């Protein structure tokens, strides 16, 4: 599952995220969470291993690009917060997916 997660996060590269207009970013986020939901259906849960994976991604993005583009930082922080639970309801991990998408993206 880690390989699938890495593949998904490759789509959140600096150029794509930082140069997307709001509609394109919304589409990208929707697609990303649709794929994460498929992994959730296959057994992905919010546990210590997944939190460490997200923390490592956060550090990777921070080291690479956060300082050079506030929009990239804001967008990535939003996505990472959704995945680790530091977000307002509806919460990805405890909300039916259709409801989550309707209220978040």
């Amino acid at each position: 599952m880690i390989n699938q997660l890495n593949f998904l996060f490759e789509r959140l590269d600096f150029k794509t995220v930082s140069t997307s207009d709001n509609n394109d970013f919304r589409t990208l986020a929707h697609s990303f969470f649709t794929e994460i939901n498929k992994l959730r259906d296959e057994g992905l849960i919010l546990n210590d291993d997944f939190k460490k994976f997200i923390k490592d991604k956060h550090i990777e993005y921070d080291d690479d690009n956060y300082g050079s583009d506030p929009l990239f930082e804001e967008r990535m922080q939003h996505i990472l917060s959704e995945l680790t639970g530091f977000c307002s309801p509806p919460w990805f991990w405890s909300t039916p997916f259709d409801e989550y998408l309707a209220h978040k993206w």
Side-chain angles (χ1 to χ4, degrees), residues 1-82:
M1 202 167 288
I2 293 296
N3 288 338
Q4 292 167 299
L5 285 169
N6 278 318
F7 177 75
L8 287 176
F9 273 89
E10 286 176 9
R11 295 177 12 200
L12 300 177
D13 66 276
F14 176 74
K15 182 177 181 183
T16 302
V17 173
S18 63
T19 60
S20 297
D21 65 23
N22 287 337
N23 287 334
D24 288 342
F25 177 69
R26 186 180 188 100
T27 300
L28 176 69
H30 181 278
S31 172
F32 178 81
F33 278 96
T34 297
E35 294 301 318
I36 290 287
N37 186 61
K38 288 178 185 175
L39 295 178
R40 180 173 72 167
D41 290 345
E42 294 173 10
L44 179 66
I45 59 171
L46 183 61
N47 60 18
D48 289 341
D49 291 337
F50 186 67
K51 286 180 182 178
K52 182 181 180 329
F53 176 86
I54 297 301
K55 181 179 178 182
D56 291 346
K57 286 296 176 186
H58 185 291
I59 291 167
E60 178 184 319
Y61 288 126
D62 192 29
D63 289 345
D64 291 344
N65 297 301
Y66 275 175
S68 64
D69 191 321
L71 181 60
F72 179 77
E73 178 180 6
E74 180 182 321
R75 288 174 169 179
M76 291 308 303
Q77 290 286 357
H78 188 68
I79 288 173
L80 296 176
S81 292
E82 289 289 325

